Amino acid sequence: MKKLEHLLAEKLLKISAIKLQPDMPFTWASGWNSPIYTDNRKTLSYPDIRTFIKTELCRLIMENFPEIDAVAGVATGAIAQGALVADAMGLPYVYVRSAPKDHGLENLIEGNLNPGQKVIVIEDLISTGKSSLKAAEAIRMSGAEVVGMVAMFTYGFPVAEKAFKEAGIKLMTLSNYEAMLETALETGFIGSEDIKTLQRWRDDPANWTPSKALED
């Protein structure tokens, strides 16, 4: 039987929520060159995958964070998935904007949180962890307690692991970069000649370039 991390990775690859192009890298908003692009919002268009992810996130939360009072999604990628999880668990829901609204009440957190409430944060993707931890800090500043964060997928960058440790926030994910590479190789999305390129990118994504990848 396939492990959850491999099963989800296969689903994400099949619907192109994860795209691998070692020979034609993408450019991220950060300016990084990358042989991988992830858009987990695509899962919302597939009812079976959407339900699978919702169910597994709920299981992960119930097994590891049973004391929660509310669920928070991180904008924009995890707004919908967070709402699905909160509905399934019968819990209050809020989402955290990347920046306060520039009009009206200028909310950063949409919805109602009470001081002292124990909150689980839902993310779709963990890269550097910067935006995810910014959302967690906003929840803490509101007076609520962040008991942990769960996400669909992580690249597993050392900088993110360090940041979560320093913030004192436990992160758990359904799948990860290593499992995705193993699955992509097994299912033919990449060849064995691509593995070294993809591994070296993950080791130093900020300085990786297509030319260096081709030289390898």
Side-chain angles (χ1 to χ4, degrees):
M1 182 180 293
K2 292 182 180 178
K3 292 182 178 179
L4 170 62
E5 58 189 7
H6 294 91
L7 184 57
L8 178 56
E10 185 173 357
K11 293 178 183 293
L12 296 178
L13 287 162
K14 283 184 175 179
I15 64 170
S16 295
I18 293 178
K19 297 189 73 173
L20 298 171
Q21 294 182 185
D23 297 327
M24 294 184 294
F26 303 94
T27 300
W28 285 6
S30 63
W32 288 2
N33 294 298
S34 172
I36 179 174
Y37 188 79
T38 304
D39 182 3
N40 289 329
R41 286 168 292 197
K42 285 191 174 184
T43 62
L44 297 171
S45 298
Y46 300 84
D48 56 335
I49 298 177
R50 184 179 68 213
T51 300
F52 175 82
I53 292 169
K54 176 188 68 176
T55 301
E56 291 303 324
L57 285 173
C58 288
R59 180 190 58 78
L60 196 62
I61 293 168
M62 289 186 289
E63 290 179 356
N64 297 278
F65 309 100
E67 72 278 22
I68 62 170
D69 303 310
V71 175
V74 180
T76 60
I79 291 177
Q81 200 66 59
L84 290 168
V85 168
D87 186 62
M89 298 185 73
L91 290 171
Y93 177 67
V94 302
Y95 71 85
V96 186
R97 293 176 172 271
S98 57
K101 285 195 300 185
D102 59 3
H103 62 279
L105 297 177
E106 299 182 350
N107 292 336
L108 181 58
I109 299 175
E110 297 290 0
N112 294 319
L113 276 181
N114 298 319
Q117 279 188 307
K118 298 180 185 298
V119 182
I120 188 72
V121 182
I122 309 289
E123 259 289 22
D124 68 321
L125 173 68
I126 304 295
S127 53
T128 65
K130 185 176 179 180
S131 59
S132 306
L133 290 172
K134 182 180 177 182
E137 182 59 22
I139 293 169
R140 285 174 165 173
M141 291 296 290
S142 76
E145 176 186 350
V146 176
V147 299
M149 186 178 299
V150 295
M152 292 166 57
F153 186 83
T154 180
Y155 291 119
F157 294 142
V159 64
E161 294 175 355
K162 180 181 178 183
F164 274 91
K165 184 176 181 179
E166 290 177 348
I169 294 177
K170 183 177 182 180
L171 171 67
M172 303 192 75
T173 65
L174 298 182
S175 190
N176 55 71
Y177 193 75
E178 290 82 3
M180 183 277 298
L181 286 186
E182 292 171 4
T183 301
L185 184 59
E186 291 174 1
T187 52
F189 282 91
I190 57 173
S192 57
E193 69 278 5
D194 298 317
I195 291 294
K196 185 182 290 186
T197 296
L198 288 159
Q199 288 176 332
R200 291 191 177 181
W201 169 80
R202 211 285 297 273
D203 290 341
D204 190 12
N207 297 307
W208 184 90
T209 64
S211 59
K212 286 183 181 179
L214 292 175
E215 289 171 6
D216 291 339

